[in-house]
Amino acid sequence: MNPIYLFFHKTGSPPWFYKYSGKLIPWLWALFLALTIYGLYLGLFVAPADYQQGESVRIMYLHVPTAWMSMMIYGLMAIMGFIALVWRIRIMEVLVISSAPIGAAFTIIALITGSLWGRPTWGTYWVWDARLTSELVLLFLYFGVIALYNAFDEPRKAARAASLMSIVGAINLPIIYFSVEWWNTLHQGSSMGSDGPGIHPSMLLPLLLMATATKFYYGANLLTRARLCLLKQDHRKRWVQDLLSKESN
Amino acid sequence: MSHTPFILAAYLIGAVVLFWAAIAPVISKRSLLRQLKNRQARMEKSQ
Amino acid sequence: MSRQATGTAFVALLRRDFLLAYRRRAELLQPLVFLLVVVTLFPLGVGPSPALLANIAPGVIWIAALLATVLSLDSLFRSDFEDGTLEQMVLSGQSLALIALARTVAHWLVAGLPIVLLSPLLAMWMNLPDEGLLILIESLAIGTPVLSLIGAIGGALTVSLKRGGQLLSLLVFPLYVPLLILATSAVSAAVVDLPYTGQLGLMTAGLIASLTLAPFATAAALKLSLS
Amino acid sequence: MENADLSNKPHMLAVSNLSFERYFDRVFEPVSFELNAGSLLLITGSNGCGKTTLLRLLAGLLEPSEGKIHKDEQPLYAGHFPAIKDDLSVQENILFWMKFMGTRKAGQMTGLCEQVIEEIGLTPVALQEGRTLSAGQRKRCSLARLLFCDESLWLLDEPYSNLDPQGIAMLDRILKTHLNAGGACIMTTHGSLRPEGFDLQECHMISGRERYAGAAA
């Protein structure tokens, strides 16, 4: 067997993945917390308020990173789904399935923080603003993938169906975003441009810090959920039995 | 009209959702392990 | 094992679908009656004032067309799946994407085309100005095949599920958003004599894209549902 | 891979420690056998031991979780479902499949169709719609596929079920001509109905359902 295939084969074996991802998770959580604390400190206390919107722009440090994450995770699900479908690598299927709830969580946060951010300037909690509407459609895409996974009873088949749906969804995602953007300018004149033409340099640093922090959060949460999924699926297999006996005594 | 309540609400809700999404797998893993251990214990007793 | 040109298989499948559709004529009317019902609900709901109806006419007609198509999508592969025909088709060696395309074309001719033909009646009910009628028919003629093509992917994914119906609509509605936006804005632009060729052009691009890509996704979904 | 020498032997089909996992549990213990032209393999085993799963694996509908299948060409699979549309008559059904599968003699399609319906003994009901057929007639209709398709490897899932004595005799006749012509066949059966007068290999399948004994990783 050539080395690359061997590597995939080895990392593909559940016990190997379970052990080494377990070691990685604490570091990811630590990095996430450190970056978040530093980023929030800068964002909430050091960075200046926006000259137009005043203080409410500080919500940007949560809204923008989570919005980016919601799109990035869906794209990642499509890529992992493609690999899972073509090479039938079980770990990839588990990663696709474990990413979906995290992506949905980020989308929900992006939606809520977006409407809270707009409230002072718009006067209402919900305006059919281009970005919020696309986030809402993205949330339906996530619910579609999750519902499709739960509709099948055989886990491997369910994972492949969810992977195929995330690929189809990801291909349509940019088209949805552009058409909603275009639809918004059609009905409401120029878009509100809530985060202003140029971001003040001192606002940029906390934004980037928070963006990287959310990525570590995704990494840690994804691995935790993937390990749980593996345990649930392989509970009859020997490596889980050994794990249990090793842990209990 | 000060914006602080909105900022606080946004970060609070964000924190709650992120915290719950992170804790959910840990809790269900703990209950799964407990369940598997009981089943294994019952298996050994019955043999 | 000699496999005749896939063209004859395509034609054989289309002819069989027409025969089946003819044998079940009554069932063909259901999505169309549903279409008429949904459109008549709007004047009852928002009030009969002609100006208001004319304003929301493109959106209402298109949303009704969308709902009617999704309603008829569930049975697209279901009967073939349950009596084993789909299994034999997959094993026959004919390209599965071609089979998916044949089924989708048959579905469009049976469910999509009648919507296009009924649209003048709907336009009259919704008091759509005359300038918009031609563009409405054009947009439906371009759009309904896309509804069937993308819907076929959802239909193939949920064919092996018992309650696949609601899940199918949850899967395909987000994918219909761009089409709905373009179509309704084309008709509204035509009504106020604004240029609409851009929207129709993009819809045609969408049609060509889904015509070439969707059958392969549907084929993959069918193979997956059979496994 | 260890079974590299499978491909050069003149086998119609060669399977080495094949298995399939459903719900992360082996459906059946790994199976290995070879099948050469002109032979019939009978697969026996209790209900739920994965006979149909094995046939679907060989047909290519399922991907094996372990082991390898080496086959020369796509086999013909006649499963539980007869692939008959209820709204079409028997003749229309068979004509459709002949056109779809692209049989050689496109010219005398109807002539061949009459002959096939004659051989499976459904001439009296040829024009009746599918939904009016009994289980036995449906089974005969699904066996019609064996007559006009030219695949040399057949996968038959409990072909004798629902067949009356004449049907069983008919199937034996079709099977004999197929095997003599150099074809091969894999057949599953759970009951007492077994083909007589054939030199057949047998492969007994054991279900993989060991509940909590540590199944191999």
Side-chain angles (χ1 to χ4, degrees), chain D residues 82-184:
Chain D
I84 299 163
K85 301 305 287 184
D86 289 349
D87 304 330
L88 299 178
S89 72
V90 170
Q91 193 177 9
E92 282 161 346
N93 267 305
I94 294 180
L95 264 175
F96 163 69
W97 280 115
M98 287 166 106
K99 281 201 214 92
F100 187 80
M101 303 294 258
T103 34
R104 309 166 294 290
K105 296 185 285 302
Q108 327 86 348
M109 198 69 89
T110 40
L112 184 62
C113 181
E114 248 72 13
Q115 198 192 331
V116 162
I117 294 179
E118 178 64 35
E119 191 154 349
I120 58 173
L122 286 180
T123 328
V125 293
L127 297 178
Q128 276 180 18
E129 291 199 342
R131 75 173 71 82
T132 59
L133 298 179
S134 73
Q137 288 166 328
R138 281 174 180 276
K139 176 60 91 177
R140 284 167 178 256
C141 215
S142 85
L143 293 181
R145 181 180 308 286
L146 306 180
L147 297 171
F148 59 77
C149 289
D150 45 18
E151 278 88 346
S152 52
L153 171 59
W154 289 357
L155 305 170
L156 307 179
D157 203 343
E158 287 164 20
Y160 288 97
S161 63
N162 312 85
L163 280 183
D164 52 24
Q166 296 82 1
I168 293 172
M170 169 201 76
L171 182 57
D172 286 344
R173 225 179 24 256
I174 297 173
L175 208 51
K176 211 177 286 296
T177 46
H178 176 67
L179 294 181
N180 298 345

Side-chain angles (χ1 to χ4, degrees), chain C residues 3 23 80 87-88 226, chain D residues 56 77 85 87 100-101:
Chain C
R3 273 286 162 269
R23 289 273 162 81
D80 281 348
E87 217 171 51
Q88 292 300 336
L226 278 164
Chain D
R56 290 175 76 90
Y77 171 69
K85 301 305 287 184
D87 304 330
F100 187 80
M101 303 294 258

